[in-house]
Amino acid sequence: GKDTETGIDVCKLSEANFLRTLELGIQFGKWILLENIGINLDPALEPILGQQKVKDGSGFTIKLGDKTITYNDTFKFFLTTTLSNPHYSPETSVKVTLLNFAITPTGLEDQMLGIVVAKERPDLEEKKTELVVASAKMNKTLKDIEDEILRLLSESSGDVLEDDTLVNQVTNSKQVSEEINEKQVVAKATEIGIDEARESYRAVAYRTAVLFFCIVELTNIDPMYQYSLQWFQKLFSLAVDQSPKNDILEERLQILKDFFTEVLYQSVCRGLFEKDKPLYSFALCSRILTGDGKMDDAELRFLLVGPTADLVEKGPPLPAEWVGKPRWNEILTLAQLPAFKNFNVNFAKHIRGFQKIYDAVEADKEPLPGEWEGKLSPMQRLCFIRAMRMDCLKSAILTFISQQIGQQFVEPPTFDIAKSFADSVNTTPLVFILSPGTDPVADVIAYAQTLGMAKRFESISLGQGQGPKASKLIENAMATGGWVLLSNCHLMESWMPALEAIVEQFNPDTMSQNFRLWLTSMPAASFPAQVLQNGVKMTNEPPSGLRANLLRSFSALNDNLWEESNKPDVYRPLLFGFCFFHAVVQDRRKFGPIGWNIAYGFTPEDLMVCRQQLMNFVNQYDDTAKVLKVLNFLGAKINYGGRVTDDKDKLLISTILETYICIEAVSQKDEYKYSTSGLYHPPEGETIQDISNYIRTLPILPMPEAFGLHENCNITSAQDEAAKLLTGMQSMVSLGGGGSGGQSADEVMDDTAASIQERLPKIFLLDVIEMQFPTIYEESMNTVVKQECLRYNNLLSTMVSSLKDFRKAIKGLIVMTLDLENVGKAMFVNAVPDMWDKKAPPSLKPLSSWYLDILARVQFFQTWIGLGRAPPVFWISGIFFPQAFFTGAMQNFARKYNEEIDLLSYSHKALDNIVDPEKDLLKPPDNGVYIYGMFLEGCRYDTTTHQLEDSRPKELYTSLPSFWFHPIKNRVPDPTDYRCPCYKITSRKGVLLTTGHSTNFVLYIEMKTNKDTSKWIKAGAAAFLALKF
C-alpha cells in the first residue's frame, strides 16, 4: 500500500473520524485498512461492501452516510480482525474476499529470527535489509528500462534501426543491465554469507515460535487467557536485552532459549489460576520436547487419551482381582506401544511386584519389577503411572517437568503487584482475573498508597448506568496522571465494546506517563480480546487448605474482640467453630461432587456476617441452646445457605454447621472433637495469638476425615485432578495419529468410526412394539418400554447417519461440515461426540466404554421385547429415564388396588442373598419391582450386617445388591435409616427443576445403618446408576 501513488491510510472503528478517513480514501483513490473489526460490521460500510456505485457522467459516485461522493477506481478497502476463528454470515462473506492471514509457525520463526539477529548482530540485519532494498531497487530499474524500451518500440514509426533515441536507449540499457547483473551476483554472494551467519540463530527463533503457539492455545482453557503477538515480541526483545551475555555463540544461544522460556513462564503464570498452572507447565514442556524431536506421538496420545477400545472382552483374563477391568484394559492398551511390547505378559508374571506399586502411597516413586525399571524413558514411565495409578499421575507429571526443563517450571511465581506494575506502561491496562472469594481492590489501594498515588486514585464498581461515569474518570485520569480502577467488568457486558474503543484510542503522546487503568473481572467471553491480549493479567486467589483459611480468618481479628463480648467463654469456641466451618465448606470443593453437588463460591463476607450475628446473640440472650438453634438456622439457611441451590447440599451444609455450632462445643471446649482423629477442636487459648499458634500445629494437607469424608476421597480428588489435566492438555497440544502401524489421525478416526459402525444395532420397530405392548390402563410398563425405545431410536439413527456421512467426508466424497468435523475430533480423543451426547442418556464414560454401555442398554430392551412382557427383574442402569420407570411401577400398584398415588411411597428392601439377579429372580414380585445395577460411593453395603459400613481402602465404588421396591400406603419411614440419594451419573450435578431436585437425581433409597445419619451425609454417601468407566 505504501508503494502506491495515492498511499494507504489505517483507521479503526473506534476512531471518531473513521468515516471521514474512508470518505477521503474513496474520493482520492487511496487504500484504506480498517483494523480490529468484530463479527458484526458497521452498517455505514454496507454501500462500500455491496459496491453500490452509481454511474455519473464519465465516472461513478457512491452514497456514504448522507453524502454522495465521487468514487475513484484506484480505491481499495481492506479489513482485519483479531478474532481467532471468526464465523461471518453468508451475507457478509459473499461481499468480501476472505483471507486467512493468521501467523504460521514458519512465518513466525522468520519474524523472530529477524528480531533476535537485529538485537544480537545489528550489523548483519542492517546489511541484510540494505541488500533487500538494493535488490528491490535494481529489479525495479530493470523493469523500468524494459518498459521504456517497449514504449519507444510501440511509438516508433518506420525503421527502428534509424531511430537514434531507441538505439541509444537500448545501448544504455544493455550497459546498465550488465552493471546491475554484476551487482546482483556480488549481492547474492554477500547475502549467502549473511544468511549463513543469521541461520546460526535459527534454533532460538524456532524455540520462540514453539512457545508462542503454546500460549495461544491457552484460550481453549479460559477465554481470559489471551496474548497478542505484539506483546510476545516485546517480551522477547526485553528478554534478549536482559539475558546474561556470553561471547561463545553456542552458549549464548542456549542462554537465550532458557532465559526467554523462563521469562515467558513467569509472565504468563501471573495471569493464570492455580489449577491451570501445572497444565501450562506440562504444555510448555511437551511443546519444547516435541520441537526438539524428543516426544513420541503414540506415547503422548496414550498418556492423554488412554484406551480407545475394550481389549478385556476378548483379551487375556484378569491376572488378579485387585487389578480390575478398567486398569487391565489400560495395561493391555499400553502393551500395544512398541516400548511396552509383551508388557501385559510380564505384568501377570510379576503380579506381586506390581501389587506393591498399587498399594504404595507414592506409587510414582516406586521402582518397577524386573527389567522394566531400567528400560523405560521418563515419558514411558508417565504412561505406566497413568495405567497403574491415575491418582499419582499429577505428581509424576510435575517430577517429569522438573527433570526435563527445570525445577523452576513447577514453582510458579507468587502474586506480586509490583512486578506486574513494572511490566506495564500508561497504555497497558492491568487486569485482575477474579475467582470466588477474591477482592483485589484493597491490594490496589495499598499499592497506590505505597507509590504516593492514593490522592489520584479513583475506583468504581461497574453496573447499570455506570458506563458514562467510568468513561469520565478515565478521561480525567489520562490528563492528570491518575489511576482508575473499574471493578466487576463482567457485570456490564453491554459496555465492554465501549471500553475496548477507549483502550484502542490510548495514545502515549497525549496522556500522562503516570496514568494506569486497572480492571477486575470474572472469566467472561464478553471481555474485550484486545484489552486481554495487550494487557498485564494477574490472579490472586484466596489461600487454599484448611490451615491457610483459618489463619486468614483470624489474621483480620484482634484481642479487642473478646472485650466486646460479655460471655467470652461462649463466644470464643463458637467463633472458632464458625471460622472452621468457613474453611471446611470452601475446602470441600477440592473433592469434587462428593464434596458438594455444586461448587459454591463462599466469601469472607459470609463469615463476617455470621461473626457479627454471633456477637449480638451471645451478648443479648442467656439461653445458649436457643441461640445455637438461631445461629444454625441463620448460618446454614441464609448467610451461607442463600447461595446453596441443590436440596442435598442444603441438608449437607446444615449438618456440617451443627457439628461446630453445638452445645457440646461450648460446654466441653477443647475436649470436644470435630473429627475422629481428635486433631481438630476449639483451642484452649484466650488470645488471637494463642489460637493462631494452635492453627499452625494443624496439618498443611489435612486428611479427608477433617471434612467428615472417607480417606478414599483423596484418591478420587487426585484422579479428577489428573483427568482434568489430561483433558486440558488435549486442547493445548496437537496430537499426532499415534495409532498402531504409524496411522495418521484421519486413519485412526476412520478406523474408530468403522468399528462402531459395524456393531451398531438396528433401530427398534415401533409399529411392531406398539402391537406387542399396547397402551392399557393396567400396565404402565408398556408405555415405559415404548418411550424408552423411541429415545434409543433417536440416538441410533443419529449415530448411523453421522458415521456414514463422516466416513464419506473423510474420504473427500462429501463436504466435511463443522458437525462432522466435531464428531471426528471427539472420536480421535475417545470422547463421545456432542451430536450423540445430546440424544443419549447422561454419561461420563469415554467413547470406548460408552459405546459398549449403549449396546448393553439396547440389548436389555431387545430382551424385554423378546419376552413380550415386562421382565421379572429390571436392569435399572439401562433405563434412559428411570424416573418414569419408578412412576410407572407406582401407577401399576395404585391402579391394581385402586389407591391414591399421592399416598403411596416405596419401601426399599435389599435382596443381599441374591448373587445373580437375572438367574435367581425368575418371577416378578406380586407388588412393586425388582431392580439391580446400582453402585455406592462414600460407603459400602455389607451383606453380612445388612447395613451401611465404611468403605474399604481404594474401593472407590462398590456394587449395591438387588432391591425390591415395594409401594406402601401412608408409610412412615424409619428415622434411623439413611436416605441415600440416587443419581444417574457420578457428577451428581444436573439442571435444577422447580422441585429443587436436579435432572441427575432419581430418588432416595432408605438404607439401614447403626451410625448417626449425619456421618453418611457429611461423607457424601450416594448411589449411582452408572460410573465413569
Side-chain angles (χ1 to χ4, degrees):
K2 291 179 181 178
D3 292 337
T4 60
E5 291 180 9
T6 52
I8 185 169
D9 285 341
V10 181
C11 59
K12 297 175 182 174
L13 284 169
S14 56
E15 293 175 7
N17 62 340
F18 101 89
L19 276 177
R20 177 64 181 160
T21 305
L22 202 53
E23 183 184 317
L24 293 173
I26 295 170
Q27 282 181 307
F28 295 107
K30 285 189 169 188
W31 288 16
I32 301 293
L33 173 62
L34 183 61
E35 292 185 315
N36 302 340
I37 63 166
I39 289 292
N40 299 313
L41 302 182
D42 193 310
L45 302 176
E46 182 58 31
I48 303 170
L49 299 178
Q51 295 280 301
Q52 295 172 9
K53 298 182 291 185
V54 177
K55 185 74 174 173
D56 185 10
S58 60
F60 290 93
T61 59
I62 193 168
K63 194 165 185 179
L64 194 65
D66 54 356
K67 285 185 181 179
T68 301
I69 56 177
T70 305
Y71 187 93
N72 193 314
D73 284 337
T74 58
F75 166 72
K76 301 284 183 189
F77 192 34
F78 303 90
L79 304 94
T80 65
T81 180
T82 55
L83 300 173
S84 58
N85 191 20
H87 292 280
Y88 289 102
S89 65
E91 292 81 4
T92 300
S93 300
V94 296
K95 295 171 187 172
V96 298
T97 301
L98 289 171
L99 290 175
N100 181 5
F101 220 69
I103 192 77
T104 62
T106 307
L108 179 59
E109 192 179 322
D110 288 337
Q111 282 190 34
M112 302 311 292
L113 182 63
I115 293 172
V116 70
V117 174
K119 287 279 184 183
E120 292 289 292
R121 293 287 304 273
D123 57 320
L124 285 180
E125 197 60 20
E126 192 177 337
K127 280 183 185 177
K128 174 76 174 175
T129 306
E130 286 174 0
L131 282 172
V132 170
V133 172
S135 177
K137 282 183 178 178
M138 286 187 282
N139 287 331
K140 188 174 187 302
T141 304
L142 285 173
K143 181 74 168 58
D144 290 344
I145 289 170
E146 289 172 4
D147 291 344
E148 180 64 17
I149 292 171
L150 289 171
R151 185 185 67 79
L152 290 171
L153 281 169
S154 64
E155 293 176 359
S156 178
S157 57
D159 190 352
V160 293
L161 296 175
E162 293 178 1
D163 189 335
D164 293 339
T165 306
L166 181 59
V167 171
N168 290 336
Q169 181 65 36
V170 170
T171 306
N172 291 338
S173 66
K174 184 182 179 185
Q175 187 178 348
V176 171
S177 177
E178 287 173 353
E179 289 174 5
I180 287 175
N181 286 335
E182 287 174 7
K183 287 179 182 178
Q184 283 185 331
V185 170
V186 174
K188 278 186 179 177
T190 308
E191 189 175 6
I192 289 169
I194 293 171
D195 284 346
E196 285 177 358
R198 289 175 85 248
E199 280 300 310
S200 60
Y201 290 89
R202 176 68 65 178
V204 176
Y206 180 71
R207 167 66 67 86
T208 54
V210 166
L211 297 178
F212 177 74
F213 285 101
C214 177
I215 65 168
V216 163
E217 299 295 345
L218 281 168
T219 188
N220 295 326
I221 306 302
D222 193 294
M224 304 298 276
Y225 300 160
Q226 297 199 40
Y227 303 88
S228 68
L229 180 58
Q230 291 82 0
W231 171 87
F232 180 81
Q233 290 178 333
K234 181 182 171 186
L235 185 70
F236 177 64
S237 296
L238 285 170
V240 173
D241 293 337
Q242 295 171 2
S243 60
K245 307 301 177 193
N246 196 302
D247 294 334
I248 302 169
L249 181 62
E250 288 75 16
E251 292 182 11
R252 174 63 178 157
L253 295 178
Q254 194 59 46
I255 287 170
L256 284 173
K257 287 197 290 185
D258 294 345
F259 189 81
F260 177 63
T261 304
E262 187 170 354
V263 166
L264 181 70
Y265 171 76
Q266 299 276 336
S267 298
V268 172
C269 257
R270 283 203 291 270
L272 301 182
F273 292 123
E274 290 297 324
K275 66 183 178 63
D276 295 325
K277 288 175 183 177
L279 168 60
Y280 171 53
S281 297
F282 191 30
L284 205 65
C285 179
S286 299
R287 285 273 185 173
I288 291 170
L289 293 178
T290 302
D292 294 344
K294 297 178 181 177
M295 183 73 79
D296 182 271
D297 281 346
E299 290 171 3
L300 180 61
R301 182 162 189 262
F302 172 80
L303 178 66
L304 302 188
V305 177
T308 55
D310 186 1
L311 304 180
V312 178
E313 189 179 7
K314 297 179 181 177
L318 284 173
E321 190 178 345
W322 62 265
V323 177
K325 183 180 173 182
R327 184 174 285 104
W328 187 233
N329 195 35
E330 293 259 0
I331 289 163
L332 292 176
T333 308
L334 185 65
Q336 293 184 332
L337 296 174
F340 288 90
K341 190 176 180 182
N342 294 325
F343 181 74
N344 58 310
V345 178
N346 200 280
F347 184 89
K349 188 178 176 183
H350 297 90
I351 193 69
R352 288 191 179 179
F354 284 104
Q355 186 171 6
K356 185 182 175 187
I357 298 174
Y358 171 76
D359 292 331
V361 177
E362 296 180 318
D364 53 309
K365 293 175 183 170
E366 289 289 318
L368 273 71
E371 60 185 2
W372 293 98
E373 178 61 25
K375 281 179 67 174
L376 300 184
S377 68
M379 182 64 185
Q380 289 159 2
R381 191 175 179 85
L382 280 186
C383 293
F384 166 73
I385 293 297
R386 183 224 149 85
M388 191 70 182
R389 284 282 299 275
M390 179 73 104
D391 56 302
C392 295
L393 183 60
K394 186 177 177 181
S395 170
I397 285 173
L398 295 177
T399 304
F400 174 79
I401 295 166
S402 63
Q403 286 174 350
Q404 298 299 316
I405 58 174
Q407 181 66 23
Q408 66 270 31
F409 293 97
V410 293
E411 295 173 352
T414 54
F415 172 71
D416 189 339
I417 196 171
K419 279 188 179 179
S420 298
F421 181 79
D423 287 346
S424 70
V425 292
N426 56 350
T427 57
T428 311
L430 294 109
V431 185
F432 281 96
I433 306 174
L434 303 178
S435 57
T438 59
D439 185 11
V441 175
D443 294 317
V444 179
I445 293 172
Y447 189 62
Q449 290 172 341
T450 304
L451 295 189
M453 294 294 294
K455 292 182 180 177
R456 287 187 287 168
F457 177 81
E458 296 285 348
S459 70
I460 184 173
S461 183
L462 292 182
Q464 190 172 2
Q466 297 298 311
K469 187 175 178 182
S471 301
K472 191 68 178 172
L473 287 177
I474 295 172
E475 186 182 332
N476 293 340
M478 285 166 64
T480 61
W483 288 6
V484 175
L485 170 64
L486 306 183
S487 299
N488 302 322
C489 292
H490 59 284
L491 298 180
M492 204 171 179
E493 187 176 328
S494 60
W495 190 69
M496 288 300 98
L499 173 64
E500 184 172 23
I502 291 169
V503 174
E504 272 188 347
Q505 293 306 304
F506 281 175
N507 185 341
D509 301 327
T510 60
M511 54 200 284
S512 170
Q513 292 297 314
N514 293 326
F515 168 75
R516 291 294 185 278
L517 175 62
W518 303 78
L519 306 167
T520 75
S521 175
M522 293 289 281
S526 60
F527 197 90
Q530 193 77 3
V531 178
L532 286 171
Q533 288 176 356
N534 296 302
V536 175
K537 293 177 280 298
M538 295 165 280
T539 57
N540 184 21
E541 296 178 76
S544 60
L546 206 59
R547 192 171 87 164
N549 254 307
L550 282 168
L551 285 171
R552 185 190 192 200
S553 297
F554 279 95
S555 65
L557 307 178
N558 58 55
D559 288 324
N560 296 334
L561 193 68
W562 313 129
E563 297 173 10
E564 297 176 28
S565 174
N566 55 24
K567 302 188 193 78
D569 287 345
V570 175
Y571 180 75
R572 194 178 291 110
L574 293 179
L575 173 65
F576 187 82
F578 267 119
C579 292
F580 199 89
F581 164 77
H582 178 73
V584 164
V585 295
Q586 289 195 94
D587 222 31
R588 274 184 77 104
R589 289 181 303 204
K590 75 180 181 184
F591 295 105
I594 200 169
W596 293 104
N597 283 8
I598 299 168
Y600 303 99
F602 301 112
T603 66
E605 287 71 28
D606 299 333
L607 175 61
M608 184 177 71
V609 172
C610 287
R611 199 175 71 224
Q612 291 168 348
Q613 290 173 343
L614 173 64
M615 179 68 78
N616 293 337
F617 284 112
V618 168
N619 285 351
Q620 291 179 32
Y621 302 100
D622 294 327
D623 191 336
T624 305
K626 287 185 178 178
V627 167
L628 293 174
K629 187 175 180 181
V630 172
L631 288 172
N632 270 296
F633 182 85
L634 291 174
K637 305 292 185 187
I638 299 171
N639 303 335
Y640 284 85
R643 300 178 187 277
V644 180
T645 51
D646 188 277
D647 65 321
K648 271 69 70 180
D649 286 340
K650 288 179 180 179
L651 175 62
L652 172 63
I653 199 168
S654 298
T655 307
I656 293 173
L657 187 56
E658 286 169 2
T659 306
Y660 310 115
I661 307 303
C662 59
I663 197 69
E664 290 83 3
V666 176
S667 59
Q668 299 175 21
K669 297 187 171 50
D670 62 320
E671 293 297 318
Y672 176 69
K673 308 302 180 187
Y674 291 152
S675 69
T676 53
S677 68
L679 289 172
Y680 306 97
H681 54 79
E684 56 186 3
E686 296 187 357
T687 65
I688 297 295
Q689 186 59 49
D690 292 339
I691 295 171
S692 297
N693 290 340
Y694 161 72
I695 294 170
R696 289 189 178 92
T697 65
L698 300 177
I700 295 175
L701 298 172
M703 292 298 288
E705 63 87 27
F707 307 92
L709 297 163
H710 190 270
E711 63 182 33
N712 283 346
C713 290
N714 268 345
I715 300 174
T716 307
S717 174
Q719 286 181 345
D720 287 345
E721 282 186 15
K724 286 174 184 173
L725 178 63
L726 298 180
T727 304
M729 277 291 291
Q730 289 172 14
S731 57
M732 287 283 293
V733 176
S734 177
L735 290 175
S740 57
Q743 290 177 303
S744 68
D746 283 357
E747 288 171 335
V748 170
M749 289 187 284
D750 191 48
D751 283 355
T752 305
S755 66
I756 294 174
Q757 200 176 28
E758 68 187 19
R759 293 185 64 186
L760 266 180
K762 293 179 180 178
I763 62 171
F764 294 103
L765 301 174
L766 296 179
D767 293 343
V768 176
I769 295 171
E770 178 64 44
M771 293 173 63
Q772 262 187 295
F773 298 91
T775 303
I776 54 176
Y777 183 78
E778 295 80 10
E779 185 52 89
S780 296
M781 287 300 165
N782 286 4
T783 304
V784 171
V785 73
K786 285 185 291 187
Q787 289 176 345
E788 289 288 312
C789 290
L790 178 62
R791 292 188 182 99
Y792 282 111
N793 270 4
N794 290 336
L795 170 62
L796 293 173
S797 58
T798 301
M799 291 176 70
V800 167
S801 61
S802 59
L803 284 169
K804 183 180 176 183
D805 290 346
F806 174 76
R807 296 196 68 197
K808 283 183 179 179
I810 210 165
K811 292 178 174 69
L813 301 176
I814 62 172
V815 174
M816 178 70 80
T817 64
L818 182 62
D819 284 341
L820 292 178
E821 187 180 355
N822 290 336
V823 168
K825 285 179 179 177
M827 287 193 296
F828 185 66
V829 295
N830 198 29
V832 180
D834 286 341
M835 186 190 293
W836 301 354
D837 197 43
K838 289 173 184 174
K839 307 271 186 179
S843 178
L844 298 175
K845 296 175 186 286
L847 179 61
S848 52
S849 301
W850 176 88
Y851 177 57
L852 294 176
D853 182 56
I854 294 297
L855 293 180
R857 287 168 178 262
V858 172
Q859 179 60 48
F860 169 68
F861 283 100
Q862 286 172 342
T863 305
W864 186 337
I865 294 163
L867 282 172
R869 54 180 170 76
V873 58
F874 295 89
W875 180 43
I876 191 65
S877 303
I879 297 177
F880 198 119
F881 191 49
Q883 292 94 325
F885 166 79
F886 285 115
T887 303
M890 190 77 80
Q891 279 180 345
N892 280 352
F893 182 89
R895 290 168 178 175
K896 181 179 179 181
Y897 294 101
N898 201 24
E899 298 285 2
E900 294 179 45
I901 197 167
D902 291 346
L903 301 179
L904 300 176
S905 62
Y906 280 118
S907 71
H908 314 95
K909 183 179 180 182
L911 307 175
D912 44 25
N913 59 322
I914 302 296
V915 178
D916 187 340
E918 290 182 282
K919 291 180 180 177
D920 298 342
L921 297 172
L922 300 177
K923 183 183 175 185
D926 293 334
N927 298 310
V929 287
Y930 294 140
I931 64 163
Y932 71 97
M934 294 187 292
F935 307 90
L936 262 183
E937 182 185 25
C939 60
R940 65 184 173 88
Y941 184 87
D942 193 308
T943 54
T944 307
T945 60
H946 313 293
Q947 61 186 11
L948 296 181
E949 301 288 355
D950 285 320
S951 300
R952 296 188 184 95
K954 293 192 176 70
E955 280 190 3
L956 307 184
Y957 304 98
T958 53
S959 295
L960 270 172
S962 304
F963 268 82
W964 175 26
F965 277 62
H966 181 207
I968 296 177
K969 184 179 178 181
N970 296 326
R971 187 179 65 89
V972 179
D974 186 340
T976 63
D977 287 350
Y978 172 57
R979 294 183 76 225
C980 180
C982 178
Y983 301 93
K984 295 176 186 175
I985 51 175
T986 55
S987 61
R988 305 191 186 204
K989 182 172 66 173
V991 179
L992 283 177
L993 303 173
T994 52
T995 57
H997 296 304
S998 78
T999 50
N1000 195 0
F1001 176 75
V1002 181
L1003 79 175
Y1004 285 105
I1005 304 172
E1006 291 160 18
M1007 298 193 192
K1008 296 295 177 186
T1009 176
N1010 61 356
K1011 299 178 175 67
D1012 195 290
T1013 55
S1014 63
K1015 171 185 171 66
W1016 305 121
I1017 294 171
K1018 288 190 287 186
F1024 303 100
L1025 303 187
L1027 303 180
K1028 293 185 287 187
F1029 45 79

